[in-house]
């Protein structure tokens, strides 16, 4: 969604596809109007930073332009965006001080702990022997997940050492959707509490909060952490103030000075504790953007472009969002069924009174799977309405349609 924002401001956009991108190369939301056709060029990451930078320079020069910013457009671009912006002398985050891979969740937890902030108990390794001692001493359940991932990809709540070992080997032997092949696996304590998202944009080490969200995560289809939606949390609330202060400490610990961050924090009985920092904009195909715009008048995407390309516009951004201008939430669309899709019936959601935006992830002729993570959602919608009862009624209707499978028709 950064691409249409930049295009609207008169910038040409080059897509740099990293070696880690995998199937995410095809994840272009419908709302990114005009793309990929409008890309000035599409460049594949080369074997060295110098050759990649040269390829970008050549693509810009052919259009009589120059590269003025390298902005991370997705989770699989974090490492390259940091290294490339540093190599090219452009605005970005340093790779010094052990931050060559700030995607690494163990690197994040170690840095936050060293900064004097609450961090999760964890261990990281590439063989079971590396992590076995942790599973022998930590109370179950525990979390087992890839050290690089996104969208709950590969995350599992394990209730025994045997289950943890089995999932560990599964992760080590499989390619994750948003991680490197052969990357290590993390075992973590299970944090009990409510999970929040704290979105920021930063420039020269000044962090500005764009929104605080609270997750609606529940078990579904055998998975423990399916995201059913997110709600916005008022910045003036005590919980938001505590989360914002803690998150900014985490960003400083990770030496993040520029760009967007999407930080997941668990509010436990003893206070906030980092789940992970994602050094890019809030994802979910941009489904949240109409709600953010309705609530605050701007989005993290527009603020991220401000941070990179307009000091004056960044300075005009509030430190935290003001009192909300509307009410609403994001609802994910969940599948409890699998099979070959004959037709879809998303108009049933689109016609609900409070639905102002709908992103469809499913088409006729495609195979639908039961939803277990963000990658297997069948869609997302934004609901905004002045009457809370209308909002609640529409959400109840959506959940019923999901359960009975009436959002699509399966082939016999």
């Amino acid at each position: 969604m950064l691409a249409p924002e930049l295009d609207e401001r008169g910038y040409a956009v080059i897509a740099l596809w990293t070696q880690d991108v995998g199937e995410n190369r095809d994840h272009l939301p419908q709302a990114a109007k005009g793309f990929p056709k409008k890309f000035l060029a599409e460049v594949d990451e080369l074997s060295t930073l110098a050759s990649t930078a040269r390829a970008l320079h050549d693509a810009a020069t052919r259009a009589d332009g120059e590269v003025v910013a390298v902005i991370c457009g997705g989770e699989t671009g974090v490492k390259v965006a940091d290294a490339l912006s540093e190599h090219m002398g452009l605005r970005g985050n340093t790779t010094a001080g052990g931050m060559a891979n700030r995607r690494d969740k163990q690197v994040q937890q170690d840095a936050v702990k060293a900064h004097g902030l609450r961090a999760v108990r964890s261990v990281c390794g590439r063989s079971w022997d590396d992590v076995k001692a942790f599973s022998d001493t930590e109370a179950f359940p525990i979390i087992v997940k890839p050290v690089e991932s996104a969208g709950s990809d590969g995350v599992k709540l394990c209730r025994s050492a045997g289950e943890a070992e089995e999932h560990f080997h599964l992760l080590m032997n499989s390619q994750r959707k948003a991680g490197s092949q052969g990357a290590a696996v993390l075992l973590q304590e299970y944090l009990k509490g409510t999970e929040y998202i704290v979105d920021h944009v930063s420039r020269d080490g000044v962090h500005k909060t764009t929104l605080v969200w609270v997750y609606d995560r529940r078990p579904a289809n055998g998975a423990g952490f399916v995201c059913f939606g997110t709600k916005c949390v008022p910045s003036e609330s005590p919980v938001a103030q505590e989360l914002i202060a803690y998150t900014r400490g985490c960003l400083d610990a990770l030496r993040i000075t520029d760009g967007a961050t999407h930080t997941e924090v668990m509010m436990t009985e003893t206070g906030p504790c980092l789940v992970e920092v994602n050094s890019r904009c809030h994802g979910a195909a941009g489904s949240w953007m109409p709600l953010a715009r309705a609530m605050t008048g701007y989005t993290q995407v527009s603020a991220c472009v401000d941070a990179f390309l307009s000091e004056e516009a960044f300075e005009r951004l509030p430190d935290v969002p003001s009192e909300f201008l509307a009410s609403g939430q994001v609802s994910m669309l969940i599948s409890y069924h699998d099979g070959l899709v004959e037709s879809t019936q998303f108009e049933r959601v689109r016609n609900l009174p409070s639905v102002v935006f709908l992103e469809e992830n499913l088409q006729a002729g495609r195979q639908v799977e039961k939803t277990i993570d963000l990658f297997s959602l069948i869609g997302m919608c934004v609901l905004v309405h002045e009457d809370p009862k209308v909002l609640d009624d529409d959400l109840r209707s959506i959940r019923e349609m999901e359960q009975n499978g009436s959002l699509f028709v399966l082939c016999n």
Side-chain angles (χ1 to χ4, degrees):
M1 295 306 300
L2 285 162
E5 177 71 28
L6 288 159
D7 176 66
E8 190 175 312
R9 299 194 192 193
Y11 291 95
V13 184
I14 298 171
L16 171 60
W17 301 109
T18 66
Q19 293 173 5
D20 288 343
V21 70
E23 66 183 56
N24 291 314
R25 186 165 187 157
D26 299 321
H27 287 184
L28 291 166
Q30 297 169 8
K33 297 190 184 303
F35 289 88
K37 287 185 178 180
K38 278 191 172 184
F39 283 131
L40 176 66
E42 298 189 50
V43 174
D44 290 310
E45 180 191 359
L46 299 175
S47 57
T48 66
L49 281 176
S51 57
T52 302
R54 194 158 48 246
L56 294 177
H57 172 77
D58 290 346
T61 300
R62 283 193 293 271
D64 296 323
E66 61 176 329
V67 178
V68 295
V70 175
I71 307 177
C72 181
E75 187 62 29
T76 53
V78 172
K79 289 183 288 186
V80 176
D82 286 346
L84 195 59
S85 59
E86 190 172 56
H87 175 82
M88 298 177 72
L90 298 171
R91 181 174 298 280
N93 298 311
T94 182
T95 64
M99 291 300 152
N101 183 11
R102 56 171 49 81
R103 278 191 71 196
D104 188 313
K105 294 173 178 58
Q106 189 63 50
V107 169
Q108 294 180 8
Q109 295 293 340
D110 290 345
V112 167
K113 185 177 181 180
H115 207 68
L117 298 169
R118 164 81 156 97
V120 68
R121 295 190 302 276
S122 61
V123 67
C124 180
R126 287 185 169 83
S127 74
W128 181 248
D129 286 343
D130 293 339
V131 300
K132 184 177 182 301
F134 182 87
S135 74
D136 289 341
T137 56
E138 184 68 23
F140 280 85
I142 64 172
I143 299 293
V144 181
K145 64 182 181 180
V147 77
E148 297 179 13
S149 64
S152 300
D153 181 28
V155 179
K156 186 173 183 179
L157 180 66
C158 297
R159 301 184 182 280
S160 68
E163 187 179 11
E165 183 175 4
E166 181 182 1
H167 193 58
F168 179 95
H169 291 305
L170 174 67
L171 293 178
M172 284 305 303
N173 294 320
S174 63
Q175 174 67 55
R176 308 314 308 157
K177 294 183 177 69
S180 302
Q181 180 68 34
V185 172
L186 201 60
L187 274 62
Q188 289 185 338
E189 68 170 300
Y190 174 52
L191 293 172
K192 295 180 181 179
T194 303
E195 190 171 1
Y196 292 83
I197 304 165
V198 188
D199 287 339
H200 279 92
V201 293
S202 305
R203 181 183 171 95
D204 295 331
V206 176
H207 310 303
K208 295 194 175 185
T209 310
T210 55
L211 262 178
V212 179
W213 310 76
V214 60
Y215 273 123
D216 175 11
R217 287 198 190 274
R218 313 178 210 167
N221 297 316
F225 307 101
V226 175
C227 182
F228 280 70
T230 52
K231 295 181 181 180
C232 302
V233 181
S235 302
E236 64 272 15
S237 65
V239 67
Q241 291 177 11
E242 187 173 2
L243 288 164
I244 289 168
Y246 172 83
T247 300
R248 292 181 181 183
C250 293
L251 301 185
D252 289 340
L254 288 170
R255 306 185 70 180
I256 292 171
T257 56
D258 293 275
T261 47
H262 175 71
T263 305
E264 299 177 3
V265 181
M266 189 72 75
M267 182 58 83
T268 71
E269 290 182 352
T270 57
C273 183
L274 178 68
V275 176
E276 60 191 55
V277 176
N278 302 285
S279 297
R280 39 80 179 173
C281 287
H282 193 133
S287 61
W288 52 275
M289 290 175 61
L291 178 57
R293 197 175 289 110
M295 302 285 277
T296 67
Y298 60 99
T299 73
Q300 187 189 31
V301 169
S302 62
C304 178
V305 174
D306 291 342
F308 274 94
L309 297 169
S310 176
E311 181 180 2
E312 295 80 8
F314 179 80
E315 289 179 352
R316 287 196 299 269
L317 290 171
D319 181 59
V320 299
S322 304
E323 185 177 348
F324 290 150
L325 305 172
S327 60
Q329 70 176 82
V330 175
S331 176
M332 309 305 182
L333 301 181
I334 311 297
S335 171
Y336 292 94
H337 309 269
D338 52 21
L340 183 64
V341 177
E342 181 178 293
S343 61
T344 62
Q345 300 182 93
F346 287 109
E347 68 274 5
R348 295 186 175 191
V349 174
R350 186 176 284 106
N351 292 335
L352 293 171
S354 66
V355 173
V356 298
F357 176 86
L358 174 65
E359 175 87 14
E360 302 173 20
N361 295 346
L362 188 65
Q363 294 83 38
R366 295 272 299 274
Q367 195 77 19
V368 65
E369 301 174 350
K370 294 180 180 179
T371 301
I372 58 171
D373 55 24
L374 286 179
F375 298 99
S376 48
L377 294 170
I378 61 171
M380 311 168 206
C381 64
V382 172
L383 302 91
V384 179
H385 205 278
E386 58 186 17
D387 187 344
K389 184 179 185 305
V390 173
L391 208 68
D392 291 342
D393 288 346
D394 287 353
L395 278 170
R396 192 177 302 109
S397 296
I398 290 170
R399 301 282 92 100
E400 289 173 358
M401 286 186 269
E402 292 169 338
Q403 287 284 351
N404 62 33
S406 62
L407 292 177
F408 49 81
V409 176
L410 296 178
C411 299
N412 294 327

